[in-house]
Amino acid sequence: MPRLTEASLGELSVSVELPTYDRDSIEAGIVHLGIGAFQRAHQAVYTDQAMSLSGGNWGIIGVSLRSDTVARQLLPQDCLYSVLSEDGVEQSLRLVGSVTQVLVAPTQLDEVVSAIAAEATAIITLTITEKGYCTGPDGHSLDRSNPLIEADLAAPEAPRSAIGLLALGLRRRQSLGNSPVTVISCDNVAANGQVIACVLKEYTELAFPELSAWLQNNTSCPSSMVDRIVPASTEAQQLRQSQMLGLTDCSAIATERFSQWIIEDNFCSPRPDWRAAGVQYVDNIAPYEEIKLRLLNASHSAIAYCGLLAGKEFVDQVVTDRQLGEFVETLMNDDLMPALNVPSDFDLGAYKSQLLARFRNPCLGHRCEQIAMDGSEKIGHRWLPVLQGSGENSKLIVALAAWCYLVLYTDIAISDPKEAQLLQLRTRRDDSRLRELLACARVTQRTVTSLDSLCRQIEQKIDKLAQGGILALVSI
Ligand code: CS2
């Protein structure tokens, strides 16, 4: 099968939605740090639609922060790729054309810095995951002892962190006298705009003090809430989509039909006509962000840890299991939903039902393992705010006990920025290791009402888990 490229489009064997703008003549207006499946199924699609509907020079330069995988997949395809959206009832396939270039930061540092600095770049978007913000125990200010940050502060001209890279690019932008730029975080981090502004400010004060005032006056960091479930791409999925297209697409992405992007209306530069593509702009993003993080993502993490302990591979298998499914719904009803501040016109019941239907989507093949990654970072954003007020019968404490059990008592693989520390705790048998583990996830004396009582409850639940397994524990 020929490879998907601009030149092979005539050989497509199905009718797919195609970009209607002239890809050859668009210039780049956006730099995206952390190009991965999520960005290509979300922000790149909104931008593709916006250009199809309203034009504009909003090509995206995608930057990989570490590996060259995405560049190897996309560059031979003229950066074209397909997105298949399905929910078990309806299906649609489109080709996305908004990505115009992929750069790999470790080998193309100067190109990345130039792209961030370019006058044509009006927007910088980020999907660098929770750990990319390099925050410390308070979850919003810079952790100067983070090894990546320490290394970047020692050599700010050769950064490896996203923060260091962004700061270096903005310093070049300042030196060229170029226009203000809007930086939009698209990660599942509470108050993500404030967090990126804060870590960037702290980093530049140390690395490039002369940049601080410019940063204040020439950047804005609106918070944004992004939502679309995008499982990591698999070879089987690429093959399936290639067969549908009649062309080999090594960058094929499958996702759900649902998609949402809400952005705080605080731009200091022009933007694509994202509104036409369905983006909502709001003055106060906090309630939307809170609902998404503390209901969708919080239950997602619970599904992942309980699911892994029950030997389930995929999210839909967990929520369609009678006991685990009931547990997840009770967790939402009794713990997560009552703790939310919901705008008066927002139908939380309908949102929950829609969410459960999204989790049940049989087409997604969303692996529990994918969501379970980086637990020490995710728990603080998703569970901690609710955990702070949790009482005796809290299902959230059951979910937290599941994470602790998984880390301390099983040999299930751990993928986490604190992996070495977690694996070391796994080998220990002393009494203090539970508290040390919780501290890794920012659950400490300072962040919960009574750490002693929380630890006692977790220990009891761990005992039950050891005796009867996760199904016995969630059924209580
Ligand atoms: C998931 C999210 O992997 C995870 O941690 O909870 O990626 C989730 O699928 C998205 O936030 C949905 O918008």
Side-chain angles (χ1 to χ4, degrees):
M1 231 187 307
R3 188 84 179 252
L4 167 66
T5 60
E6 283 285 345
S8 67
L9 284 180
E11 295 169 53
L12 278 169
S13 58
V14 276
S15 84
V16 290
E17 211 177 318
L18 288 164
T20 56
Y21 48 94
D22 176 12
R23 290 191 77 222
D24 287 339
S25 66
I26 55 164
E27 275 180 50
I30 299 175
V31 172
H32 182 83
L33 300 188
I35 186 169
F38 180 72
Q39 185 268 346
R40 281 176 283 152
H42 189 272
Q43 300 103 73
V45 173
Y46 282 99
T47 307
D48 186 65
Q49 272 171 332
M51 286 194 286
S52 284
L53 293 165
S54 315
N57 281 313
W58 295 107
I60 300 171
I61 299 177
V63 178
S64 292
L65 296 162
R66 256 164 288 283
S67 95
D68 63 354
T69 311
V70 177
R72 281 191 287 109
Q73 291 170 339
L74 277 178
L75 294 178
Q77 305 188 174
D78 300 322
C79 296
L80 277 173
Y81 61 94
S82 62
V83 175
L84 175 68
S85 320
E86 38 184 3
D87 58 10
V89 182
E90 283 180 88
Q91 186 186 63
S92 62
L93 188 60
R94 66 182 297 144
L95 285 188
V96 177
S98 51
V99 177
T100 51
Q101 171 68 294
V102 181
L103 299 172
V104 184
T107 52
Q108 294 176 290
L109 181 63
D110 197 57
E111 284 95 324
V112 176
V113 168
S114 301
I116 295 173
E119 177 63 20
T121 300
I123 293 180
I124 298 163
T125 47
L126 315 172
T127 49
I128 55 175
T129 78
E130 295 86 347
K131 60 179 175 283
Y133 294 81
C134 304
T135 51
D138 65 2
H140 62 262
S141 54
L142 188 71
D143 176 10
R144 293 177 196 183
S145 65
N146 178 307
L148 261 183
I149 295 297
E150 268 186 349
D152 284 2
L153 286 173
E157 304 290 335
R160 288 191 300 130
S161 71
I163 311 301
L165 195 60
L166 189 54
L168 187 62
L170 293 174
R171 194 182 64 147
R172 170 94 55 95
R173 196 173 180 97
Q174 174 198 25
S175 69
L176 295 173
N178 284 343
S179 313
V181 67
T182 305
V183 178
I184 311 176
S185 162
C186 303
D187 283 295
N188 293 318
V189 166
N192 54 16
Q194 286 165 39
V195 172
I196 185 65
C198 178
V199 292
L200 197 56
K201 178 171 178 284
E202 285 185 59
Y203 179 88
T204 46
E205 274 164 8
L206 298 167
F208 308 120
E210 71 285 2
L211 183 63
S212 297
W214 183 91
L215 206 60
Q216 183 76 23
N217 299 323
N218 291 276
T219 54
S220 70
C221 301
S223 283
S224 95
M225 185 277 255
V226 290
D227 191 6
R228 193 167 210 191
I229 296 173
V230 188
S233 176
T234 61
E235 269 181 33
Q237 185 60 34
Q238 286 171 15
L239 192 65
R240 177 175 170 230
Q241 268 170 248
S242 299
Q243 277 159 353
M244 291 169 90
L245 294 166
L247 293 171
T248 303
D249 180 2
C250 297
S251 184
I253 293 169
T255 180
E256 60 178 341
R257 290 176 66 77
F258 181 94
S259 185
Q260 192 174 33
W261 194 6
I262 308 183
I263 314 178
E264 197 179 16
D265 204 350
N266 169 28
F267 284 66
C268 63
S269 57
R271 62 193 181 202
D273 192 3
W274 279 329
R275 197 191 296 275
V279 170
Q280 289 163 261
Y281 294 102
V282 294
D283 292 330
N284 177 14
I285 189 114
Y288 302 97
E289 186 189 65
E290 194 178 296
I291 291 168
K292 199 256 167 168
L293 265 175
R294 300 193 201 167
L295 195 50
L296 188 159
N297 296 114
S299 35
H300 237 177
S301 289
I303 289 169
Y305 300 123
C306 296
L308 283 175
L309 290 180
K312 308 276 184 203
E313 198 172 351
F314 301 113
V315 169
D316 63 309
Q317 294 172 336
V318 180
V319 286
T320 52
D321 175 278
R322 191 182 54 79
Q323 285 157 298
L324 290 168
E326 265 175 29
F327 167 75
V328 172
E329 200 167 345
T330 315
L331 167 74
M332 289 174 157
N333 288 337
D334 295 358
D335 291 60
L336 304 177
M337 288 164 60
L340 293 170
N341 295 306
V342 182
S344 57
D345 58 348
F346 191 92
D347 185 344
L348 195 59
Y351 182 83
K352 181 196 79 177
S353 305
Q354 186 189 37
L355 208 52
L356 286 167
R358 291 170 65 197
F359 290 162
R360 281 194 294 265
N361 187 339
C363 310
L364 282 179
H366 197 194
R367 303 177 80 85
C368 293
E369 202 181 55
Q370 182 182 344
I371 304 166
M373 273 170 52
D374 297 350
S376 71
E377 288 283 335
K378 291 176 179 175
I379 286 170
H381 293 288
R382 302 173 176 198
W383 291 352
L384 187 54
V386 182
L387 204 61
Q388 279 161 340
S390 283
E392 283 287 318
N393 293 320
S394 159
K395 299 288 178 204
L396 196 56
I397 298 180
V398 173
L400 184 61
W403 179 67
C404 296
Y405 185 81
L406 188 146
V407 173
L408 298 178
Y409 294 94
T410 73
D411 57 6
I412 296 174
I414 297 172
S415 170
D416 194 286
K418 297 205 173 88
E419 189 174 318
Q421 201 176 339
L422 302 190
L423 288 175
Q424 201 262 338
L425 290 173
R426 186 176 267 184
T427 62
R428 279 173 33 193
R429 284 289 168 268
D430 54 275
D431 287 348
S432 57
R433 67 179 187 151
L434 178 61
R435 279 164 195 262
E436 281 181 48
L437 173 63
L438 292 173
C440 288
R442 291 200 271 126
V443 179
T444 63
Q445 199 72 66
R446 277 190 296 124
T447 57
V448 290
T449 325
S450 167
L451 187 63
D452 288 340
S453 132
L454 179 65
C455 286
R456 264 198 309 280
Q457 292 184 63
I458 295 177
E459 273 157 5
Q460 282 165 8
K461 295 192 188 335
I462 286 181
D463 284 346
K464 292 216 171 79
L465 250 167
Q467 285 160 22
I470 187 72
L471 293 184
L473 181 64
V474 299
S475 307
I476 296 168

